[in-house]
Amino acid sequence: MTDGAASAGRLLIRCEFTGAALDERAARRAAHLAHVAANAHRIAYGGLLGEADGPPIGVCYVLVADDPEEGRRFVADDPYRPLYATIAIEPLQQRFPPPEDAS
């Protein structure tokens, strides 16, 4: 990536589950995975938050988008949305590795 190169924006999305989420997550999992699959073209990467040998405490995504409103819509449409106690959406300036869409 050269200095000043234009690339698509990135949003860091971090959502932490409520205490009751573990009981309800299984019932919503298939719909959540369908939501993620339908948006795969916009997700640079994502995954679960928490230790590998324990229950997840939330989810995290890097969404290819310029406007935080796109991130809010992505989360609002997620079937897990009612299970999120906290949601943070922040612009992310990817430096390494260089984004694939960098010129």
Side-chain angles (χ1 to χ4, degrees):
M1 181 168 161
T2 60
D3 227 18
S7 65
R10 304 282 192 273
L11 299 172
L12 176 64
I13 301 173
R14 179 186 171 103
C15 305
E16 293 187 17
F17 292 126
T18 65
L22 288 177
D23 296 333
E24 297 180 38
R25 209 167 42 89
R28 297 172 183 266
R29 189 169 196 277
H32 165 75
L33 293 176
H35 169 69
V36 170
N39 287 280
H41 64 285
R42 301 181 334 139
I43 300 171
Y45 60 89
L48 295 173
L49 300 171
E51 299 292 331
D53 60 351
I57 61 168
V59 296
C60 181
Y61 303 98
V62 172
L63 192 68
V64 178
D66 292 310
D67 186 351
E69 183 58 35
E70 292 180 64
R72 287 189 280 279
R73 282 193 304 271
F74 174 79
V75 172
D77 293 342
D78 186 346
Y80 277 178
R81 171 58 189 102
L83 309 181
Y84 297 146
T86 62
I87 299 166
I89 301 170
E90 300 284 339
L92 175 71
Q93 297 179 35
Q94 183 174 340
R95 297 290 193 248
F96 188 85
E100 290 181 12
D101 57 359
S103 325

